[in-house]
Amino acid sequence: MIRVSGLHKSYGPLDVLRGVDLEVARGSVFALLGSNGAGKTTIVRILATLLRPDAGTATVNGFDVVAQPARVRESISLTGQFAAVDEILTGRENLVMIARLRRVAAPRKVADDLLARFSLTDAGGRPVGTYSGGMRRRLDIAMSLIGDPPVIFLDEPTTGLDPEARIEVWDEIQKLAGVGTTVFLTTQYLEEAERLADRIAILHRGTIVVDGTLAALRELLPPATTELVERQPSLEEIFLSVVGSAKERS
């Protein structure tokens, strides 16, 4: 679904991408890992036709990102690091607006179906400014699905979200993959990639240094040894347990 070969991109004297090669299979979740400034967002922007590469080739859904940008845009949807929603409009109005812009038939029905799918029906009539971070991100992803694009780019979709909201977004990403959507995910959270991705690549100093399944990546390190250790619950586990118990009592 996505092929990248020899991709280069510089900003003045700064070489951000130095010959990136990668492939993403149709209907899979591909996670691109890298530290801040590694070039993850630059790759996404090139694949989404928002930025031209200096050299190399890239195709999405069989279309060249430079020679056929309009066809690429018809095939994709992009969700950036911050939810691109109108806070004054309601959740339903946001969805209807995007459906009309994409000339989708029956925009109100599409909006109601997506609100139900993302458990936002009760909040659909409220201004988005009243939504939690997790609700905004779920609405943002719902908006990106209008028109059923075969490829979705999620650029660090859980940055700034609390543990509960992150898990909500993870669940939605898994559902997307379950219905055959190709998901290209960038993240700094290793647990996120470990939980969601069929294949993982690590971007370092402008090139892909590792690319493979989680099982293949584990083989790069010495075999695991068995040790008896006392494991304390993590703070995230404590948080989710306490919040979950409080919800059940309310």
Side-chain angles (χ1 to χ4, degrees), residues 11 13 34 40 47-48 59 64 89 92 103 106 108-109 112 115 121 123 137 140-141 163 176 182 188 202 219 228:
Y11 297 101
K40 302 187 302 297
L47 293 175
T59 61
D64 187 278
L89 299 179
R92 180 174 287 102
R103 300 179 182 179
R108 293 186 180 278
K109 182 180 185 305
D112 288 339
L115 288 171
T121 299
R137 180 54 81 184
D140 194 26
I141 295 175
L176 290 177
T182 302
Q188 296 182 61
I202 298 176
E219 291 179 358
L228 181 62

Side-chain angles (χ1 to χ4, degrees), residues 86-91 123-133 135-136:
D86 189 312
E87 296 191 355
I88 297 176
L89 299 179
T90 66
R126 285 167 35 200
V128 173
T130 67
Y131 285 18
S132 68
M135 293 169 68
R136 292 185 194 198

Side-chain angles (χ1 to χ4, degrees), residues 13-192:
L14 179 62
D15 294 327
V16 178
L17 304 180
R18 306 179 182 183
V20 171
D21 302 301
L22 60 84
E23 292 188 1
V24 180
R26 186 179 300 272
S28 66
V29 178
F30 179 90
L32 181 63
L33 305 181
S35 56
N36 280 333
K40 302 187 302 297
T41 297
T42 297
I43 291 177
V44 170
R45 288 175 62 82
I46 289 173
L47 293 175
T49 75
L50 299 176
L51 194 65
R52 290 177 68 95
D54 296 331
T57 60
T59 61
V60 178
N61 198 25
F63 302 113
D64 187 278
V65 299
V66 174
Q68 302 167 290
R71 300 303 302 273
V72 172
R73 290 172 194 151
E74 292 172 356
S75 303
I76 69 169
S77 191
L78 169 62
T79 296
Q81 297 178 20
F82 304 98
V85 294
D86 189 312
E87 296 191 355
I88 297 176
L89 299 179
T90 66
R92 180 174 287 102
E93 288 170 341
N94 269 276
L95 290 164
V96 169
M97 175 181 66
I98 298 301
R100 285 176 173 165
L101 288 172
R102 293 195 172 183
R103 300 179 182 179
V104 174
R108 293 186 180 278
K109 182 180 185 305
V110 169
D112 288 339
D113 289 346
L114 285 169
L115 288 171
R117 176 176 172 181
F118 284 82
S119 302
L120 292 170
T121 299
D122 291 343
R126 285 167 35 200
V128 173
T130 67
Y131 285 18
S132 68
M135 293 169 68
R136 292 185 194 198
R137 180 54 81 184
R138 295 205 321 268
L139 177 64
D140 194 26
I141 295 175
M143 290 164 62
S144 73
L145 295 183
I146 294 174
D148 296 320
V151 182
I152 291 183
F153 293 100
L154 300 176
D155 191 14
E156 300 191 13
T158 61
T159 296
L161 297 185
D162 62 49
E164 264 194 308
R166 269 195 298 157
I167 290 175
E168 290 175 357
V169 173
W170 290 351
D171 290 342
E172 296 305 330
I173 293 172
Q174 289 175 319
K175 291 176 185 176
L176 290 177
V179 296
T181 303
T182 302
V183 179
F184 189 108
L185 168 74
T186 73
T187 182
Q188 296 182 61
Y189 300 124
L190 303 186
E191 180 188 1
E192 190 162 274

Side-chain angles (χ1 to χ4, degrees), residues 30-33 190 193-194 197-203 208-223:
F30 179 90
L32 181 63
L33 305 181
L190 303 186
E194 188 171 351
D198 300 300
R199 196 171 187 88
I200 300 167
I202 298 176
L203 182 67
I208 301 293
V209 294
V210 172
D211 182 359
T213 64
L214 179 59
L217 267 55
R218 283 176 171 155
E219 291 179 358
L220 298 175
L221 297 179

